[in-house]
Amino acid sequence: MKLRIPLLCLLLAAPLLALAQNDPITEAGRRGLLRRGQESPTEHEMTPAEWRRLQLAAADKSEEIMRRAQRQPGLLAQYMVMQAAYDDNNERAFRLIFGQYLSWFQTWIGDYDGAARSFSIAQPVQHDDAPSPLTGAWQARPADEVILELAKDRKAVFFNEAHSAPLTRTLTVQLLARLRAEGFTHFAAETLYVKEAEALRKRGYPTAKVGFYTEEPIYGEMVWAAQKLGYTIVAYDAEDAGVGDARERAGAQALYDQVFKRDPNARLVVNAGFGHIQKAGVYLGGSSMAKFFKKISNIDPLAVDQTMLIQHARSDQDHPWYTAVMQAAHPAQPFVYVDAGNKPWTLKPELYDVSVFFPRATESDGRPTWVGLGGTRLPYPVSSDLCRNQFPCMIEARYASEGEDAVAADRAVLNVIDPNAPMSQRVLSNHGSAQSRLYLYPGNYRLSAVDGHGRTVSSQSVTIAPAATKP
């Protein structure tokens, strides 16, 4: 099955600042994706029309490279094609567009730091931002506790994510079991494919064919967890509806038709990208999916923003409120601010009900510890011995009870290289390591080491024991 490639809708706000959205759209829809007309000329006095033309050409080239990469045998081989194409082309519009495509592959192979460097959405202060929570009588509380309290009387909870930053999926994964215990019945996620939803229900585990982003292990874990917890999985995203209102309205209608029209007593959890979940205002020149959903269903969803108050690869891209809050507090888990009446603070009061702050990342063996999902997944060290001197190699862990087509529970790439090696021999954002670690729930797994030609060079079974409890 050929992947549907999410094409981006890109707004250039300043010469070195890209604000972007990923949207699966048709070819016809893509030709209108820069219609907002707010792009800035480059430092060479390029007109907005010329800059838009360069971006569209870069999008065409990015798609062609991605299709070529997907013909390679294995995910690591595909990533290497993408990285080489990025390294070989310094043209500004190409790097701006293609960096997002590359970042998806970097998340799929577990290189989350590399993905953040390839693509991120800067968060300057904007006119509709609320004042910093540090300026009022707001108190910090754990995000999971507050969200569960806010969700108790809601029929629907909408979480958003940044597709190139899987950190923004972690809290949603951690909350699924507790939301299920509160009576939520259905789970929907962006870019799940309608034709694969029934196969997922029968098979019991996600594969890369289930949706575009499910190749990324934490996204796959999210779908896997929802399936195991007994949620009804909903593929709502309109694959052929185009972009803007057509897609947003179709997605909202599908959510209503597949969930509340069939069962008025249902309760729904949705995971979607960026502004698809904003409940008011203008989105992509029209209305968002959540805004259409409110109108169609007469249900006001709890909208949880997780995309704006996160750490970026460059500190100057962090929102100033985020920087100040991190300097004032040193949180160990995602948190939100509430007032004395437990009303939550939100960066965008008209758009979202609550905004989540994610702590700055800490790393171990080159991987961020948030991959451990709040300590529920335990670190398992892996070394170059598994690679049998075939570098680079990718270490994958799959649940022992699932097939080879299952999305890996976690992945890491190892690469032993000469520090003077040419760029063509480097992967993982131009660095190499002889060791790393996977993060896995307690249980039985099948570990595989795969080389750059898609060949399995070694495999073994491992058991992750539960963490020892303190006496």
Side-chain angles (χ1 to χ4, degrees):
M1 177 178 178
K2 183 178 179 181
L3 289 175
R4 287 80 157 180
I5 300 173
L7 304 171
L8 38 145
C9 189
L10 184 137
L11 162 65
L12 185 67
L16 295 176
L17 175 63
L19 305 177
Q21 301 285 356
N22 320 13
D23 288 305
I25 60 177
T26 61
E27 175 63 18
R30 189 180 65 78
R31 289 300 167 185
L33 48 77
L34 295 174
R35 65 186 183 280
R36 285 190 258 181
Q38 299 179 38
E39 303 78 25
S40 300
T42 70
E43 61 271 24
H44 301 298
E45 301 300 324
M46 185 182 298
T47 67
E50 290 172 326
W51 179 235
R52 187 161 51 248
R53 177 182 57 78
L54 286 178
Q55 292 178 87
L56 287 169
D60 284 336
K61 188 167 187 175
S62 297
E63 293 163 40
E64 188 279 325
I65 294 169
M66 190 171 185
R67 293 191 185 99
R68 174 160 49 87
Q70 289 171 337
R71 292 195 290 268
Q72 300 301 309
L75 186 57
L76 179 58
Q78 294 172 16
Y79 161 72
M80 291 171 69
V81 170
M82 299 291 287
Q83 183 70 62
Y86 184 83
D87 291 339
D88 288 343
N89 191 332
N90 290 319
E91 198 272 321
R92 183 165 162 268
F94 173 79
R95 285 209 160 197
L96 199 59
I97 298 290
F98 190 69
Q100 187 173 17
Y101 284 74
L102 173 62
S103 72
W104 298 328
F105 281 78
Q106 288 169 312
T107 67
W108 296 344
I109 66 170
D111 183 17
Y112 300 124
D113 290 345
R117 286 190 290 270
S118 296
F119 179 80
S120 65
I121 299 176
Q123 294 293 336
V125 174
Q126 296 179 316
H127 68 88
D128 58 345
D129 287 353
S132 168
L134 297 179
T135 64
W138 300 96
Q139 296 295 321
R141 288 190 59 199
D144 58 346
E145 294 179 6
V146 174
I147 291 169
L148 284 170
E149 292 169 4
L150 296 172
K152 283 184 177 179
D153 299 322
R154 299 279 188 153
K155 298 281 288 181
V157 178
F158 287 8
F159 295 93
N160 69 357
E161 66 160 56
H163 301 311
S164 299
L167 166 68
T168 58
R169 297 167 179 159
T170 57
L171 181 60
T172 307
V173 177
Q174 293 170 243
L175 280 168
L176 283 176
R178 295 160 74 181
L179 287 168
R180 185 79 177 103
E182 286 289 338
F184 283 83
T185 57
H186 291 68
F187 173 77
E190 184 176 335
T191 72
L192 294 185
Y193 301 145
V194 173
K195 293 180 180 179
E196 293 293 328
E198 182 59 32
L200 169 64
R201 285 188 280 269
K202 291 179 179 178
R203 186 175 51 245
Y205 62 84
T207 69
K209 293 181 179 180
V210 168
F212 186 82
Y213 297 116
T214 50
E215 187 72 89
E216 192 277 309
I218 294 177
Y219 201 100
E221 198 76 65
M222 180 165 54
V223 177
W224 181 90
Q227 177 85 2
K228 299 297 182 185
L229 289 166
Y231 285 91
T232 298
I233 306 298
V234 177
Y236 74 93
D237 211 1
E239 298 170 21
D240 300 316
V243 70
D245 277 4
R247 180 191 180 196
E248 303 302 306
R249 184 186 296 107
Q253 188 68 55
L255 286 175
Y256 176 73
D257 290 346
Q258 293 187 56
V259 181
F260 297 103
K261 188 175 182 179
R262 296 178 181 179
D263 181 4
N265 295 315
R267 299 179 75 188
L268 172 66
V269 178
V270 175
N271 179 79
F274 300 106
H276 292 303
I277 74 161
Q278 70 179 55
K279 298 195 294 184
V282 176
Y283 178 67
L284 296 180
S287 295
S288 68
M289 180 270 290
K291 189 174 178 180
F292 279 118
F293 175 81
K294 284 183 64 177
K295 183 177 181 180
I296 292 169
S297 67
N298 200 32
I299 294 171
D300 181 23
L302 176 70
V304 182
D305 175 68
Q306 305 182 104
T307 65
M308 292 183 284
L309 299 169
I310 63 174
Q311 181 182 14
H312 293 73
R314 284 173 30 197
S315 61
D316 64 337
Q317 292 185 329
D318 294 345
H319 194 285
W321 298 179
Y322 178 84
T323 301
V325 165
M326 291 301 125
Q327 290 172 346
H330 302 282
Q333 60 184 326
F335 67 99
V336 301
Y337 281 96
V338 297
D339 66 11
N342 215 38
K343 178 182 177 181
W345 179 89
T346 172
L347 181 64
K348 305 285 187 183
E350 298 298 319
L351 308 186
Y352 307 105
D353 294 300
V354 59
S355 296
V356 178
F357 286 81
F358 285 89
R360 295 192 186 279
T362 59
E363 291 196 354
S364 182
D365 283 335
R367 301 204 72 204
T369 56
W370 54 254
V371 183
L373 301 180
T376 59
R377 302 207 305 181
L378 305 177
Y380 180 81
V382 292
S383 69
S384 58
D385 293 345
L386 294 167
C387 300
R388 305 287 173 83
N389 293 318
Q390 301 297 312
F391 298 103
C393 84
M394 181 170 64
I395 312 297
E396 300 180 291
R398 289 182 173 82
Y399 293 100
S401 60
E402 298 177 355
E404 288 297 326
D405 59 341
V407 175
D410 198 12
R411 296 187 181 99
V413 172
L414 303 181
N415 192 30
V416 179
I417 58 173
D418 185 306
N420 297 316
M423 192 69 71
S424 61
Q425 295 179 20
R426 298 170 182 266
V427 297
L428 277 179
S429 302
N430 305 329
H431 70 266
S433 176
Q435 63 184 22
S436 188
R437 56 177 53 196
L438 303 175
Y439 286 89
L440 304 168
Y441 291 121
N444 298 317
Y445 294 86
R446 185 175 61 257
L447 254 60
S448 301
V450 181
D451 69 11
H453 301 285
R455 300 175 299 205
T456 299
V457 297
S458 74
S459 62
Q460 64 183 56
S461 296
V462 300
T463 297
I464 308 300
T469 56
K470 295 182 179 180

